[in-house]
Amino acid sequence: MVADLDDGHGRVVPAVNNYVGPAANIYWLPFRTQWVEDALVVTAVSDPALPVATGDVIIAINGQPVADLMQAQARLVSASTESHRMMRATQGLARRNNDSPLQLKVQRAEGQQLDVEVTPVASTRPGSLAEARPEPITWFPQGTWYFDLTRLDDARLTAALTNVKPDQPVIFDLRGYPNVEAEFLGYLTDEPVSTAPFQIAVDQLPEGRARTWKSVGWSVEPASPRLRARVAFLTDERAISYSETLLAIVKGYGLADIVGEPTAGMNGNINPFELPGNHRIIWTGMRVLNHDGSSLFGRGVLPTVPASPTIEGIRSGLDEVLLTGIDVVTRPQ
């Protein structure tokens, strides 16, 4: 039922009141995977001794084709965009109920197919194997700052931004969920900027009849020092909700380039509801628009400069979205 809502916030999880967690007996594949070019690709491994390597394509698990397994997982995922659905399906496929060894068929870069065995590892959450990214605060020799908004807090980001000279380009990484407040956007503008409309349904009659919408939002004031050089935000289908609030402001006011792939396409406060049987259902309780009045649902915030990872890039150890961002902010204007 929740999957059929096509709601990126949609979840069915254990109810908090009776939930003793993190749950025991949660295991994950001992490597990170990503759905790239319609294939399940290994993007990082926890141990170099594992029989899989970065860039391997997983073809089958326990004799079942990965394409079939992904379709089965995707049917259980609530998402408004196909890319976000496949990302969540990838996470679901990586999660295992026990540590029973798995038989994998993998394809190497040269086309060779191998049958290997791996054992899931105990972990409390996906992503415990860190994605390969630069340090959260990095100065690249090409001549640009890099700040990872998913790993910085407000204090560190503010301190770092005060060291940026007005003529130095900046890249903000928002491939995921940020840990910072929106005030940093004030460094990119001379005028106050506001969120796109967050709309709350007001129903005068049952079943959504005679419905009107109450719009709410908030704004960000300009901050000093003003960044005058080019700025780019990196993003992809992992950016959802508050991530999209920030990116929608950037896109709506033309504050910076957005490099990467469309976001998840789901924003607004959630409505949790607890049911008997120790279940909690979550869905989105708002309608959120883009600044131009178009719907965020099903589209997300679209990049101004499209860029995507490729299997060949992963095998070569390249972060192609980041490299595109560096090129965008450092090229001559």
Side-chain angles (χ1 to χ4, degrees):
M1 288 172 59
V2 175
D4 286 345
L5 292 176
D6 294 331
D7 181 345
H9 284 138
R11 298 288 194 282
V12 180
V13 297
V16 174
N17 291 342
N18 301 314
Y19 181 41
V20 283
N25 305 321
I26 295 182
Y27 298 84
W28 299 90
L29 295 176
F31 47 83
R32 178 183 285 272
T33 57
Q34 187 173 350
W35 190 251
V36 177
E37 297 181 316
D38 294 325
L40 188 65
V41 184
V42 177
T43 57
V45 297
S46 60
D47 185 343
L50 286 171
V52 296
T54 298
D56 285 352
V57 174
I58 310 299
I59 298 174
I61 300 176
N62 288 341
Q64 295 182 276
V66 159
D68 294 344
L69 294 172
M70 287 289 290
Q71 287 183 8
Q73 287 289 333
R75 286 195 292 269
L76 302 177
V77 172
S78 191
S80 78
T81 63
E82 189 63 18
S83 59
H84 186 73
R85 189 184 310 276
M86 296 307 287
M87 182 271 290
R88 291 263 307 280
T90 300
Q91 293 178 348
L93 195 60
R95 176 172 171 162
R96 319 304 297 184
N97 293 326
N98 54 57
D99 61 353
S100 298
L102 300 172
Q103 308 302 316
L104 308 182
K105 182 179 289 292
V106 304
Q107 181 169 309
R108 293 281 162 84
E110 61 275 12
Q112 178 187 12
Q113 293 188 4
L114 301 174
D115 293 314
V116 301
E117 181 179 278
V118 299
T119 301
V121 295
S123 180
T124 58
R125 60 186 177 88
S128 56
L129 179 61
E131 179 182 4
R133 290 191 186 183
E135 289 298 312
I137 301 173
T138 299
W139 171 258
F140 288 122
Q142 294 94 326
T144 181
W145 285 101
Y146 167 90
F147 302 119
D148 190 340
L149 301 180
T150 71
R151 292 182 289 162
L152 292 174
D153 58 24
D154 288 308
R156 292 183 67 196
L157 178 61
T158 300
L161 286 172
T162 58
N163 292 323
V164 177
K165 296 178 181 179
D167 61 344
Q168 291 178 331
V170 173
I171 295 172
F172 294 105
D173 201 334
L174 200 41
R175 290 176 288 181
Y177 201 85
N179 293 311
V180 297
E181 298 296 329
E183 278 67 27
F184 79 95
L185 294 177
Y187 294 103
L188 310 181
T189 178
D190 295 317
E191 303 291 337
V193 293
S194 301
T195 61
F198 288 78
Q199 297 186 324
I200 303 170
V202 180
D203 294 329
Q204 308 297 330
L205 295 172
E207 300 176 352
R209 290 175 289 154
R211 172 176 289 175
T212 59
W213 296 89
K214 176 184 177 181
S215 291
V216 297
W218 40 267
S219 61
V220 175
E221 296 295 320
S224 182
R226 172 75 157 85
L227 302 181
R228 300 290 178 182
R230 296 193 70 171
V231 176
F233 284 74
L234 312 181
T235 195
D236 59 20
E237 70 281 354
R238 289 172 288 182
I240 188 171
S241 198
Y242 175 50
S243 299
E244 295 180 293
T245 298
L246 300 178
L247 289 167
I249 294 174
V250 171
K251 183 74 174 287
Y253 287 91
L255 304 182
D257 279 299
I258 299 176
V259 178
E261 299 177 292
T263 60
M266 184 52 60
N267 198 1
N269 293 350
I270 61 170
N271 287 334
F273 184 75
E274 294 190 10
L275 296 172
N278 195 31
H279 288 95
R280 168 175 283 195
I281 293 178
I282 300 169
W283 73 96
T284 304
M286 287 180 167
R287 182 173 72 176
V288 181
L289 305 177
N290 290 310
H291 283 77
D292 63 4
S294 63
S295 176
L296 180 77
F297 176 85
R299 300 175 68 245
V301 179
L302 304 182
T304 59
V305 182
S308 302
T310 65
I311 297 175
E312 184 58 37
I314 292 169
R315 288 170 173 166
S316 301
L318 301 178
D319 185 338
E320 292 158 294
V321 175
L322 173 58
L323 291 175
T324 302
I326 293 174
D327 178 66
V328 165
V329 299
T330 59
R331 69 175 61 145
Q333 299 192 48

